[in-house]
Amino acid sequence: MSVPAIAVYTSPPGASVHAPPEHEYSSRGSAPCAAAASPSAAPSSHRHAAAVAGGLSCLFSSPSAAPRATAYEELGALWNDRSDDPPTVVAGGFGGGGYSYPQSSSSPSPFKLRDHLHRSPVSLFHSPAASSPASRSPSVSWLAARERDRLFSSFVRNALGSCIDFAPVTSLPLGVRPAATGVDAAELAFELDENLSEAEPSCEPGAHELLARVQARHRIFRDELVVKAFFEAERAHRGQKRASGDPYLQHCVETAVHLANIGANATVVSAGLLHDTIDDSFMDYDHIFRMFGAGVADLVEGVSKLSHLSKLARDNNTASRTVEADRLHTMFLAMADARAVLIKLADRLHNMKTIEALPLVKQQRFAKETMEIFVPLANRLGIASWKDQLENICFKHLNPEEHKELSSKLVMSFDEALLTSTLDNLDKGLRDEGISYHSLSGRHKSLYSIYSKMIKKNLTMDDVHDIHGLRLVVDTEEDCYRALDIVHKLWPRVTGRFKDYISHPKLNGYRSLHTVIMCEGVHPFEIQIRTKEMHLQAEYGFAAHWRYKEGGCRHSFVLQMVEWARWVLTWQCEAMSKERPSSLSSSVGMRPPCPFPLHSEDCPYSYSRQCNHEGPIFVIMLEHDKMSVQELPANSTVVDLIERVGANSPRWSPYSFPLKEELRPRVNHKPISDPNRKLSMGDVVELTPALPHKSLTEYREEIQRMYERGGFALATTPRS
Ligand SMILES: Nc1nc2c(ncn2[C@@H]2O[C@H](COP(=O)(O)OP(=O)(O)OP(=O)(O)O)[C@@H](O)[C@H]2O)c(=O)[nH]1
Ligand SMILES: Nc1ncnc2c1ncn2[C@@H]1O[C@H](COP(=O)(O)OP(=O)(O)OP(=O)(O)O)[C@@H](O)[C@H]1O
């Protein structure tokens, strides 16, 4: 996904208001580095070390497997507390890294005010914004909202076109609460304890220190709800250890830290802390609901469901069956609140970072599954830094030799100082010519992305021209060409590498100017120049980067869901992360209507409930202990599934619905009494339940009788 750090086009008016310093250098991922107050201030050894160390890191020092925290990630942790951030320069790991400027300040653009006050949803997953303390201005927010709506509307019409029915909601009906996102005090089904953080509940040694450490990094961990979730997670996992020997709680905390790093709000961070409680402790949904309310409980339950599916998929090696793996991605995104997918991804990211503690064979299995299932999810959701990190870890385990060789080469060839100085030069060149810009960002390509490109195009590393890349987003098409002239005046261009996708858009609608220039005579730099609208299209439209990477996509409803998920996540994390109950009351009047097409009146900001598409549904089918992901038309029933299985079976012929409950098909672990029960996205249908021990003999006899009557499939009363 693309990378602007401060690119701000469509931020909702409820979003936090920031006044960033003149220059911001920030990461595409969750890894800003506050070590240097300016790009040039960080010693290059430090920058290199941080770049190299970026792959595997762990926030908390641990006696066993967890490596020491790296500058890359530790400093990334500061993002959530943006008001404390100094201007930062980023030291990205091999996950790729980035830098960026907001618009140039010498030549204010008409968007200047809005741009500085609101951050883009696009920016959320890519780069933290360094900022000075927040202040709120309702009138400016409102103006921004109108601009956002205008931009968003035209973007949706242009970009999504026939993919969706575009019917923007202009206002929320009276009495409808705008969001189930940040925790609104009125939504809570419990009273938050006063001075909870001082309550000092008794817990295992080290837990308070763990909390203190993480609180020092992220303000969100001082939030009452989050503190309460921390102590509840501690209670749930007390005495449990990870394979590495670390307390289990550490995994919960680090999962939550990943979420905090991308700006998730208190509800999501709390659910991240509690994400394993339903599966691995005495706590159930009701308990979490009573303690934390529906927002957190639903998310934890959603993660638990995803974990079950993921385990089923792993045990059945679904990842290696492309079609089914693809259905699985869609199913994950469609069945759960997108934020649950986010928590599952954060959980997987930490598990992958600590995978060395597992036996080799498991490392391989996890790496394969992560590459096939979770990397595409991170890609589709636009969380580039997680995608890069997951890919690089998997790469290391799946192709250790290639990883080693390429890492050493990249250390030699990647020049971080050059990236920042090129950014500086372009910024100056643009200012000198009076061209205002919206954002200017730079990134270095991740190790795995370089590797993939080399394999795909049969290149050597020297032939990869975009290891260093800059992206400039300006206001008008005319500015694109003016900026291009400046670029070509500043540096010699590499012949044959200029592409004008503005006058000749790609078939998928992608528009941008691309050129490759040579820095200091030896380093090729790819520079992309585009307008804000082109950029939105490249991020969210038909030309979206995830689709560009993944190739064709069959179902338009998939496109819609994915873009929805990205939008919801981006907005929620971005807009709500600073909004705690105390501040909500004052901002409620300014809450925006949900901008996403198709949101209905009760707008829960969760696309899953809005997804009344006519497209197919995907369900998991378990038959004789084998799992498959089946695609069925909308409104299909259990009988439809059974008929499909029967039709493919040589023994197929109808038989009656079993009387014995334990022999009936199960949907989500419960035997069904109505074979015409409709199936929903993500249902797990067991056609042949696992053999119950006690009734084993009886069960066999019954099956035998069924076969004798003619076939192991169900025929039911015909449907009307
Ligand atoms: N979102 C999006 N980005 C694109 C698309 N096409 C190209 N890009 C971006 O532009 C970069 C370079 O694209 P091109 O100049 O067309 O280059 P190429 O022919 O694909 O091959 P290389 O020059 O070797 O990278 C890609 O690496 C992407 O970052 C697209 O359809 N959608
Ligand atoms: N020149 C650039 N400047 C800034 N960001 C870029 C540039 N080129 C790509 N990006 C962004 O960096 C991220 C990682 O891109 P990456 O290089 O891995 O893939 P890509 O750009 O699609 O290249 P390719 O398909 O050629 O491998 C994406 O979000 C992409 O949009």
Side-chain angles (χ1 to χ4, degrees), residues 605-679:
Y605 288 36
S606 166
Y607 69 96
S608 54
R609 270 172 277 177
Q610 311 302 324
C611 230
N612 53 350
H613 55 78
E614 292 304 309
I617 49 169
F618 299 127
V619 298
I620 302 277
M621 183 178 87
L622 291 166
E623 194 203 9
H624 301 301
D625 285 338
K626 282 225 168 63
M627 171 201 161
S628 60
V629 189
Q630 297 283 329
E631 176 177 342
L632 294 158
N635 298 318
S636 294
T637 62
V638 175
V639 157
D640 294 322
L641 182 65
I642 288 166
E643 281 177 359
R644 169 183 294 181
V645 177
N648 293 330
S649 145
R651 285 185 176 276
W652 164 248
S653 70
Y655 88 111
S656 55
F657 196 68
L659 289 175
K660 277 188 193 313
E661 205 176 65
E662 67 265 30
L663 295 183
R664 288 190 194 149
R666 290 166 175 249
V667 176
N668 302 329
H669 310 302
K670 294 201 182 84
I672 54 161
S673 51
D674 175 13
N676 289 322
R677 181 197 188 281
K678 272 199 187 161
L679 292 171

Side-chain angles (χ1 to χ4, degrees), residues 15 204 407:
E204 275 196 316
S407 316

